[in-house]
Amino acid sequence: MLCAPKRKNKRQIAYLGVKMNETGVGADVFFVLVGAILVFAMHGGFAFLEVGTVRQKNQVNALVKILVDFALSTVAYFFVGYAVAYGTTFLVNAATLSGGGEGFELQGLSLVKFFFLTTFAAAIPAIISGGIAERMKFWPQCLATVALVGIVYPLFEGLVWNGNFGFQGWLEATFGAPFHDFAGSVVVHAVGGWIALGAVLLLGARMGRYDRNGRPIGIPPSSLPWLAMGSWMLCVGWFGFNVMTAASLESISGLVAINSLMAMVGGILVALVVGRNDPGFVHNGALAGLVAVCAGSDVMHPIGSLIVGGVAGGVFVIGFEICQNKLKIDDVLGVWPLHGICGAWGGIAAGFFGLEALGGLGGVSPVSQVIGTVLGAVYALGAGLAVYGILKATMGLRLSQEDEHRGADLSIHKISANPEHDLGR
């Protein structure tokens, strides 16, 4: 015989409601934490992409820069940057931080969100690192990282993602929608790429990069397998970068995942053709597509994302060749065309391919996208010239000719990538 279920009293119902709420918060904590770990792993991708591109005498420096920049970024963002962007300080007791005190969510959800956003902030110096490789002094770059992650990046981040200074409200009231940058085509990538352009211009080209007549002298990648591994690590982590920007299980969207995938393959295929089978272009083409799709990955149709990513792959190849050969800008990894230009393309493209008329979900304004993107690029270039200009005037930016010739590994870190081989053992 079946027994009728017992009715729960109000206390039991309230208790179950609390437990279900805690379970939901705990799931979100785990979800965001996994995203933070995936994006943290992308910094290994930044490192190995640079290791495979620079000459062997600068490989150790590439690895050390990315790791130290991440550590400095975390400290600068924890004590200053996060408060600049979101008005929240962590200078309260641990019970408030983890237990849902004023301004903080239960079970430390706010803390893992900080971790997640820190990995974004630390991408700024990681992007710049590839442009200034092989001739930048170590300590000035460390100071630049602190200034950029503590002040420069959070100001723009807060403007877009927290509605600071009324900018987003003005765009929405004037043009019908705020500036839409779901996962940072402009906030992270374009800002990092345009800051890098300022730094590269102030540094000048590497010794031997151009002859007396200004003709480029090729410097091939030191290791295509390392370069490829860096690209693969970045591609895998990017799905945490984009998908987990949702910040909760309730808000997660498979559309973001498939759009990221389609943009990535679009970038690969177009870079393959336009780059004439060059493996460096192919592996960076994947990244170009992913950079471009970040802004509109939550509102575009997969076919639109394929087009946006494909255009980005072609833009990177052509932009890299113009940058290096026509403009004589020695941007070692091509971070300006990859992150700066492709990021700007993604920001603008979201305003068109996100429209319902082109199969998107709507809620975007082409005019707002252009304004937000241009503002981001101009702000970042100005900030890059200012920060690195001050450092150049006070500390100097470049290694000496002797140190640059010897290589950053021995000049800065006193050890090479293959010390046993150097000793002839």
Side-chain angles (χ1 to χ4, degrees):
M1 180 182 292
L2 295 175
C3 297
K6 295 181 179 179
R7 296 181 65 181
K8 295 180 174 63
N9 60 39
K10 291 182 179 179
R11 181 177 295 180
Q12 288 174 314
I13 292 172
Y15 172 77
L16 287 172
V18 170
K19 295 302 291 183
M20 290 176 66
N21 181 60
E22 288 179 351
T23 301
V25 173
D28 286 345
V29 169
F30 183 72
F31 174 74
V32 177
L33 178 60
V34 171
I37 292 168
L38 282 170
V39 185
F40 176 47
M42 290 176 68
H43 289 265
F46 281 119
F48 285 110
L49 190 72
E50 186 172 335
V51 165
T53 305
V54 300
R55 288 167 288 188
Q56 193 174 54
K57 62 184 180 179
N58 297 297
Q59 290 179 328
V60 171
N61 181 243
L63 293 169
V64 173
K65 276 192 303 178
I66 300 296
L67 190 61
V68 171
D69 278 342
F70 188 89
L72 290 170
S73 296
T74 301
V75 174
Y77 198 61
F78 182 87
F79 285 104
V80 181
Y82 193 78
V84 170
Y86 301 102
T88 300
T89 176
F90 295 102
L91 302 180
V92 294
N93 60 52
T96 300
L97 291 176
S98 62
E102 184 178 355
F104 295 94
E105 297 172 87
L106 291 170
Q107 295 182 239
L109 179 56
S110 297
L111 301 182
V112 291
K113 286 181 178 179
F114 160 78
F115 181 13
F116 185 69
L117 289 170
T118 296
T119 61
F120 278 51
I124 299 296
I127 290 168
I128 296 167
S129 177
I132 62 177
E134 299 202 303
R135 75 271 201 205
M136 177 80 184
K137 288 181 177 180
F138 185 70
W139 291 113
Q141 173 55 21
C142 289
L143 290 176
T145 293
V146 172
L148 293 170
V149 178
I151 301 295
V152 173
Y153 167 75
L155 281 172
F156 192 73
E157 176 191 17
L159 185 80
V160 175
W161 285 344
N162 199 46
N164 295 351
F165 308 115
F167 174 69
Q168 291 284 42
W170 172 75
L171 287 178
E172 185 170 10
T174 307
F175 303 108
F179 175 58
H180 187 88
D181 191 2
F182 179 69
S185 286
V186 176
V187 173
V188 178
H189 297 286
V191 166
W194 286 87
I195 290 174
L197 174 62
V200 170
L201 290 174
L202 289 169
L203 263 176
R206 290 168 290 175
M207 292 168 50
R209 181 64 180 91
Y210 302 98
D211 65 18
R212 293 180 179 177
N213 298 315
R215 291 174 298 202
I217 298 173
I219 300 177
S222 61
S223 174
L224 283 169
W226 283 127
L227 184 156
M229 190 180 83
S231 175
W232 275 102
M233 290 178 69
L234 285 163
C235 287
V236 171
W238 223 294
F239 287 87
F241 196 98
N242 284 359
V243 176
M244 292 174 174
T245 292
S248 70
L249 285 171
E250 183 181 8
S251 302
I252 192 172
S253 171
L255 182 65
V256 177
I258 195 67
N259 280 341
S260 301
L261 177 67
M262 296 301 282
M264 181 187 75
V265 300
I268 292 169
L269 295 175
V270 174
L272 172 70
V273 175
V274 178
R276 300 175 295 279
N277 305 327
D278 183 286
F281 285 145
V282 170
H283 285 91
N284 278 286
L287 307 182
L290 287 164
V291 164
V293 80
C294 288
S297 57
D298 63 326
V299 294
M300 294 192 296
H301 188 280
I303 295 175
S305 295
L306 180 67
I307 295 169
V308 169
V311 171
V315 164
F316 169 69
V317 174
I318 296 169
F320 183 87
E321 292 180 339
I322 291 174
C323 175
Q324 298 285 340
N325 301 330
K326 302 294 184 182
L327 301 178
K328 305 296 188 298
I329 298 173
D330 188 16
D331 177 353
V332 181
L333 268 68
V335 298
W336 176 47
L338 178 60
H339 297 274
I341 299 177
C342 290
W345 155 244
I348 294 170
F352 293 92
F353 288 93
L355 294 171
E356 292 184 42
L358 292 179
L361 297 181
V364 295
S365 162
V367 177
S368 293
Q369 294 305 116
V370 170
I371 291 174
T373 299
V374 171
L375 175 64
V378 171
Y379 169 75
L381 177 59
L385 290 170
V387 170
Y388 286 93
I390 291 170
L391 290 170
K392 182 175 182 178
T394 55
M395 303 177 65
L397 297 178
R398 286 194 69 137
L399 295 170
S400 67
Q401 288 190 355
E402 180 182 354
D403 285 344
E404 186 177 339
H405 179 73
R406 184 187 302 116
D409 292 357
L410 293 176
S411 298
I412 296 173
H413 308 290
K414 312 305 179 187
I415 192 168
S416 71
N418 299 286
E420 197 170 2
H421 177 269
D422 295 338
L423 293 173
R425 295 177 181 174

